Amino acid sequence: MSTLDVRTAVRLILAAILGLAGVAHFAIPRPCVAIVPPAIPAPEAVVMASGIVELLLAAGLVGPPRWRRGAALATAAYLVVVFPANIYAAISGVPADGLPPGWSRWVRLPLQLPLIAAALWCTAEERVDNGLGGRRREPR
């Protein structure tokens, strides 16, 4: 399997994760609303907005090649921005339907780091033969 195939697979997996999470924000918003830190106003609106962002990011990752690099960079940035909600979920013990209590909330924290790394790795440009004996960069 070539690096291109692996990058494509990783990009598609990220898109699936974001797509499922985005849908979950609308289908079962209560667990998401419960972990919004209290300092953030209008948690329901924040959850709906973040669901829309996740769906847009997923679309960007599977969309035309010219969108993919920007979507991958935006995905990495988004994962950094929402990290405080995961920290809050781990330390607060706030009851959230659908989210198991205790140590399982802590497991989510280190899992976000490989997702960020994967999104950044997907930003690399591929090099393709231009048919003239040279190579050109093609956006992913």
Side-chain angles (χ1 to χ4, degrees):
M1 184 179 265
S2 73
T3 303
L4 174 60
D5 295 336
V6 173
R7 279 191 210 278
T8 299
V10 167
R11 183 174 47 78
L12 294 175
I13 290 167
L14 279 172
I17 291 168
L18 287 166
L20 290 171
V23 168
H25 280 64
F26 294 98
I28 48 170
R30 284 179 43 182
C32 302
V33 171
I35 66 168
V36 174
I40 297 176
E44 294 84 1
V46 169
V47 167
M48 294 300 123
S50 62
I52 291 168
V53 168
E54 289 170 348
L55 292 171
L56 290 172
L57 291 171
L61 289 170
V62 298
R66 68 180 182 274
W67 295 1
R68 294 177 190 162
R69 179 174 167 80
L73 288 170
T75 296
Y78 174 78
L79 291 170
V80 169
V81 168
V82 299
F83 194 66
N86 291 331
I87 292 172
Y88 175 74
I91 63 175
S92 71
V94 170
D97 297 340
L99 289 179
W103 65 269
S104 62
R105 293 187 188 193
W106 289 94
V107 170
R108 293 176 53 171
L109 297 177
L111 291 178
Q112 201 140 353
L113 296 174
L115 291 175
I116 293 167
L120 292 173
W121 187 62
C122 288
T123 66
E125 294 178 322
E126 61 188 84
R127 294 195 178 266
V128 296
D129 187 351
N130 66 6
L132 303 173
R135 299 187 61 79
R136 63 184 167 87
R137 289 181 183 206
E138 178 118 346
R140 298 219 12 98

